[in-house]
Structures are given as structure tokens and as C-alpha cells.
Amino acid sequence: MTGRGTVRRHAPGKLFVAGEYAVVEPGHPAILVAVDRQVTVTVSGAGAGAGAGAEAGAEAGAGAEAGDADVVVESDLCPGRTRLRRGADGLGGLDADHGQPVPDRLGHVVSAIDVVDELLTGRGLPTSPIHVSISSRLHRDGTKFGLGSSGAVTVAVVTAVAAYHGVELSPDARFRLAMLATARRDPGSSGGDLAASVWGGWIAYHAPDRVAVLVLAQRRGIEEALRAPWPGFAVRRLPPPRGLALQVGWTGQPVSTAALAGRLRTGQWPGSTSQRSFLARSDECVRAAIRALDRGDDHELLHQVRDARQVLAELDDEVRLGIFTTRLTALCDAAESVGGAAKPSGAGGGDCGIALLDGTAEREISQLHKEWAAAGVLPMPIHVQPTNGSTE
């Protein structure tokens, strides 16, 4: 709690270390890390209000502007206020009849609130009119960095709205509700960003079968979906590397992960020999990297990160997704030149790349940053967030 009738929760962004693309298929592993840039969601009574990005206090007049809305949303990723009303089919835009439907950028927010509303209704708890304020450090002037902004927002909204209504969720419940909210909008999303936001630190993650999970929730309800086994799903915390520093570079080119990953789910790729070969190679690399982390073998981890880059490069050559841009290739080559290992993080095509190298090699790290800057890659002051301190 941050004040009478106000709840504030945080969720960190993420980076993929290995296993992107393969993790989209249920049961296949990936390694992710949570980062120390986060989304903050503040929930208050509909008559209280708090401007997007505000850390405390109420904004005068919010109740009057809310009118008969059940939910008012303000976000620094979507200018203005969005007024919503609860209905038989979930939240809908109060102003839709006047040519102002719910902005697409808020779709994951609406889905997250809908899932929590269903949970509350199933438990016989009332849903209150609320004001939801969202502030994100995962973008710059509206341009996303590729750090899992939508996932972090979904986790933070689920956690904050539930807490406002007196329901404190376990990490597993937070993830499951956020996964259901996400899968309703995009069943192809792996949910790795959600898991990183929920558990923090370094994690090994296997995605559930989202279609099966959606069917489960539809047939047996949200409450049962929180308790029942989810096919394919697994997550566990991993020890961080002993002596390696994680360096992050941003290409300045935002990318739609859903669009790139979606291209692999069409045509002749699903079920093909090429897909099976890619999944097997990715799984082998990720599992070897997990063993290296468990043993504290930094040298082997660097080797597996290099292999993960090669696996992605071969996929890119075969399917022509455009994973490796000029800047991402330069980012990786620069890290190799100073003794590190690097690869795109996530879908590629832009967004971020990561590098791992000796944490004590200050000269090499400085040289890496200079080479990145010369190639148009912005070194970002990002570190791993060991835990998700979601409650303020």
C-alpha cells in the first residue's frame, strides 16, 4: 500500500539469453533475465486518480472526468485517459460509440483487468470502480527498447488490480493470470517475458501449451486454471554467472516480436524437418547453458552463448526472417573482438542485443562500448534485477 485506498506494484522487463523462437513451442526451454528497468502500476479508487508516472497524491477532478466509467486508464505509452465500462463480455470502451474505441496499445491492460475481474467474480468478491495509472521505464519517448514492455505491464496490472481488491497473488498465480490475459490476445506469445517479470533474476523457462490453457480456463474457470497442471510449463531460478558482466546494447530500431515470430507459424515451417532440427539444436544449447550456470562454469556459458548466436544465424539464413541486422551483427562482432560472447536478445530485427564478458575487464568493456557507439548501437546502463520486488 502507498496510501489509503491506493496500491502500487512494479514489474521488471526482460532479456532473452538463449532459446528465443524455440521457446514459442510448448515445453521447449529458454533462459531469460529480469532487468532493473520496470513498469509501475498504481491503482486507486475511480474518484481518486493519479496522473501517469505520478509517485504519490491524487489528481483533482479525476472522478468528474471518469463519469460513469468503471475503469479509467492512464499510461505514458498512450496519451490521454481511456474510460472503460464492465459488461457481459468484459471491459469495453465507454467512448466507442463516439468513434473512440479502446486503443490497441492498451489491449493487454484491458485483458489483464478482465482476467482479474473473472477471478474476483469466481470468488464471490465485488469489483470496484478503479483508476489505473501506468508508468514505464522500458521505452524512450514512446519508442520501446525491446525489454518486454507489454509483458511487464500485464504482470504489474494483474498484481496491482488484484491487490487493490484485497487479493495478494503468489508468484505462480501472478504468472498464470498474466499468461491467460496474454494468450487471449496472442496465443503465439511464449510468456517468457511474463515469467521473468514475475520471478526476477536468471530463470530457465518452458512455455505451456497456451491453447490447452485457454480451453482449460474456458471450460473449468479461472480458479481451476490456477490450480491444474499446465502441459509443458516449467520455471526455475538459476544462479547468475560467477564472473561475467552482462552488457546490453540497443539498436534504436523497435521491432514487433509477434510479427517476426508469427512468420514461423505459417507456410511449410511448422512440423518440417528444418523446424525439428532447429528446435533440437536450440534445446541442446539452452540445456548446456543451464548446466553451465548450475556449475558456475563461465567459460562453458560463453561457448553456449556463441552457439546460440550460430543457431539463430542459421535459422535466419534459412527462413529469411531478418533477425540479424547490420547493427546487431556489429554488436556481436564487437563483443567477440574483446573476448566476449554476444547475440540478439529476443526476436532480433532490431531492439536489443546482449554480450557477456569478464566482469573485471574494464578496458575491454570500455572498448566494447566505443565500438558499439561507432556502429550506431547505444550501450544501455542495464543490470539484472535479482528478484521482483513488486510491492512498494
Side-chain angles (χ1 to χ4, degrees):
M1 287 275 192
T2 59
R4 187 179 180 88
T6 301
V7 166
R8 180 172 293 125
R9 296 293 185 269
H10 313 284
K14 67 83 179 79
L15 286 165
F16 270 94
V17 176
E20 50 269 274
Y21 285 106
V23 73
V24 172
E25 299 298 322
H28 290 270
I31 299 173
L32 299 96
V33 295
V35 300
D36 61 350
R37 289 190 177 225
Q38 62 190 16
V39 166
T40 298
V41 171
T42 304
V43 179
S44 56
E55 290 302 317
E59 183 177 280
E65 289 188 33
D68 54 355
D70 294 311
V71 177
V72 177
V73 179
E74 288 185 276
S75 170
D76 58 5
L77 281 172
C78 187
R81 282 186 175 154
T82 300
R83 304 187 307 145
L84 305 166
R85 180 183 292 157
R86 292 182 171 104
D89 297 324
L91 287 174
L94 193 60
D95 303 315
D97 294 337
H98 300 91
Q100 296 180 356
V102 178
D104 186 63
R105 282 191 171 191
L106 293 182
H108 48 286
V109 175
V110 171
S111 189
I113 298 172
D114 275 339
V115 165
V116 175
D117 279 357
E118 290 178 39
L119 177 70
L120 296 171
T121 299
R123 293 183 177 182
L125 299 173
T127 55
S128 304
I130 53 175
H131 184 285
V132 179
S133 177
I134 302 166
S135 175
S136 173
R137 295 185 59 232
L138 305 179
H139 69 98
R140 183 172 70 180
D141 300 328
T143 300
K144 295 181 180 180
F145 294 128
L147 298 172
S149 176
S150 296
V153 167
T154 302
V155 169
V157 169
V158 162
T159 309
V161 173
Y164 180 81
H165 288 89
V167 178
E168 293 292 346
L169 301 167
S170 68
D172 186 70
R174 290 205 303 272
F175 170 79
R176 288 178 180 237
L177 289 172
M179 185 76 262
L180 286 168
T182 299
R184 287 178 177 181
R185 287 181 49 79
D186 177 17
S189 176
S190 73
D193 52 352
L194 308 174
S197 286
V198 167
W199 278 280
W202 289 70
I203 64 167
Y205 173 75
H206 299 68
D209 183 330
R210 280 83 72 198
V211 174
V213 165
L214 289 172
V215 171
L216 170 66
Q218 183 178 23
R219 291 180 178 175
R220 299 165 66 181
I222 295 289
E223 195 72 56
E224 180 63 23
L226 295 186
R227 295 193 297 264
W230 280 14
F233 170 58
V235 63
R236 75 174 176 94
R237 298 287 298 275
L238 295 171
R242 290 185 176 180
L244 298 177
L246 178 70
Q247 301 296 314
V248 182
W250 182 49
T251 65
Q253 300 165 310
V255 174
S256 169
T257 297
L260 279 174
R263 289 171 57 185
L264 281 181
R265 299 195 296 269
T266 60
Q268 302 300 313
W269 174 257
S272 67
T273 301
S274 294
Q275 185 200 36
R276 291 193 296 271
S277 175
F278 165 73
L279 292 176
R281 288 200 60 202
S282 177
D283 289 358
E284 180 183 1
C285 178
V286 172
R287 289 175 181 137
I290 290 171
R291 290 194 296 270
L293 285 164
D294 284 335
R295 294 195 305 262
D297 189 340
D298 288 350
H299 178 76
E300 177 63 16
L301 179 61
L302 291 176
H303 174 69
Q304 295 305 327
V305 169
R306 294 186 184 105
D307 275 1
R309 174 190 177 183
Q310 185 61 30
V311 169
L312 284 179
E314 291 177 6
L315 172 67
D316 206 18
D317 288 342
E318 180 175 357
V319 188
R320 303 294 181 186
L321 288 177
I323 297 172
F324 282 84
T325 64
T326 300
R327 288 180 182 178
L328 281 173
T329 299
L331 179 152
C332 295
D333 290 346
E336 291 285 347
S337 72
V338 295
K343 57 181 287 296
S345 178
D351 285 341
C352 290
I354 61 165
L356 288 168
L357 63 161
D358 184 350
T360 65
E362 296 182 5
R363 180 181 301 176
E364 286 78 4
I365 293 173
S366 177
Q367 180 62 29
L368 175 65
H369 290 175
K370 290 177 182 177
E371 292 189 25
W372 279 1
V377 174
L378 177 67
M380 299 191 68
I382 287 177
H383 302 90
V384 176
Q385 179 163 307
T387 59
N388 177 10
S390 63
T391 304
E392 186 171 285

